[in-house]
Amino acid sequence: MLNDCSMTQVAAGIAGCLGIEPPVDAERAYPLVGDLMRARGVERVERALLFCPDAVALWLYQRYTSWYAPVLAEAPVALPVRTMLPSVTPVCFGTMFTGVTPYVHGIECYDKHILAQDSLFDALVRAGKRVALVAVADSSFDILFSDRAIDRFILPYDGDVNAKARELIEADEHDVVVVYNQEFDDVMHATYPESKRALEALEHHITAFGELAGLARTAWAHHDRMVAWLPDHGVHIADNGHGQHGSDREDDLNTLHFYGFAPAARA
Ligand SMILES: [Zn+2]
């Protein structure tokens, strides 16, 4: 069964939570997330942590549910999301941050180049938001939006990225902090999705999100805020025994996003 919500609906959903206009061609938001934000007593958030781990499939949550406690503790709103074809990172994050299909944003295969398509980053800049992007060098996030007027922190690997993200959250000088981690994707391609090292990588992503979201809870305590866990696509085991994705199959297309909202502490 494929998830109901499409990856094309994510950008407008996040824009809606921030109370800004969505990217120009973005598909309408899936209403659940905004409705649950308002149910938490938040009309719009002033701060957002958007944590993007690569290749974390929906089925990993089904098989390792209890491992996700640090994610659920900070972001209990679960939104199953159906990603794009081919289900590879530049295609999928391209869609997640523009709200349009690969045909429209222009990356229809594993090809990383700057996207001309209007994006969430552009929508945030137009709305006067201060945006920080913290990503691994040569990743899709490094390249697809590299010409945007945002603060970019491009670093060697996940540990450096997460250390910089901690600094940025504590400094509280950005309205939106986007963080990209890739260890699980790297290791599951080199081994397989449930190898010891791949599962350790999954745990690293979960731990990193829990720490960053926990830091946001204190550093951003006086702001209405959101934290989100936003993978790009899933994964399956290929005939050669390695982790692979890109195909028209549920384990590649179904991923799971988590959102958490909290109102500002009123002194
Ligand atoms: Zn991959």
Side-chain angles (χ1 to χ4, degrees):
M1 186 193 306
L2 284 170
N3 295 331
D4 186 40
C5 174
S6 167
M7 192 64 87
T8 54
Q9 299 179 273
V10 174
I14 294 168
C17 292
L18 281 148
I20 68 168
E21 289 295 315
V24 290
D25 299 321
E27 191 182 346
R28 75 191 192 295
Y30 197 84
L32 178 75
V33 174
D35 290 347
L36 290 168
M37 176 182 74
R38 286 179 285 276
R40 287 282 284 124
V42 176
E43 272 306 307
R44 69 178 64 83
V45 298
E46 297 172 339
R47 294 287 182 275
L49 166 66
L50 308 178
F51 183 86
C52 303
D54 202 309
V56 181
L58 169 66
W59 66 263
L60 288 162
Y61 177 72
Q62 294 172 303
R63 284 178 67 85
Y64 302 96
T65 310
S66 62
W67 292 17
Y68 280 70
V71 177
L72 292 162
E74 303 290 346
V77 174
L79 180 65
V81 175
R82 179 183 79 255
T83 200
M84 296 288 111
L85 276 170
S87 42
V88 295
T89 298
V91 170
C92 299
F93 278 132
T95 289
M96 190 193 295
F97 278 78
T98 60
V100 300
T101 60
Y103 176 76
V104 177
H105 69 57
I107 296 183
E108 298 184 85
C109 62
Y110 195 90
D111 168 32
K112 295 186 276 194
H113 59 77
I114 293 176
L115 285 185
Q117 179 68 34
D118 194 57
S119 71
L120 185 61
F121 294 110
D122 302 293
L124 288 163
V125 169
R126 280 195 295 273
K129 302 292 184 187
R130 299 159 301 174
V131 183
L133 169 66
V134 200
V136 178
D138 296 324
S139 66
S140 294
F141 273 111
D142 177 9
I143 294 165
L144 268 57
F145 306 104
S146 57
D147 62 341
R148 294 335 199 248
I150 58 175
D151 291 331
R152 290 161 31 84
F153 303 90
I154 304 303
L155 295 156
Y157 210 59
D158 291 0
D160 317 281
V161 164
N162 295 330
K164 174 54 75 175
R166 282 195 289 276
E167 270 178 40
L168 292 168
I169 292 167
E170 282 189 319
D172 191 21
E173 288 170 356
H174 292 88
D175 305 299
V176 178
V177 177
V178 181
V179 181
Y180 169 72
N181 273 198
Q182 69 177 51
E183 185 188 1
F184 175 74
D185 186 73
D186 287 338
V187 177
M188 66 78 180
H189 283 301
T191 59
Y192 56 99
E194 295 181 271
S195 73
K196 183 170 179 294
R197 281 178 50 219
L199 292 177
E200 283 169 1
L202 173 62
E203 282 193 289
H204 293 161
H205 295 332
I206 289 170
T207 301
F209 177 77
E211 287 178 2
L212 293 175
L215 202 56
R217 186 159 20 85
T218 52
W220 295 349
H222 295 284
H223 301 285
D224 291 330
R225 59 195 183 272
M226 66 183 279
V227 296
W229 164 279
L230 308 166
D232 51 348
H233 55 70
V235 60
H236 70 274
I237 299 173
D239 291 341
N240 65 7
H242 289 290
Q244 188 53 271
H245 53 88
S247 307
D248 186 5
R249 41 185 295 162
E250 289 174 19
D251 37 12
D252 281 3
L253 291 172
N254 283 341
T255 187
L256 185 57
H257 290 182
F258 292 97
Y259 292 87
F261 301 96
R266 307 292 176 200

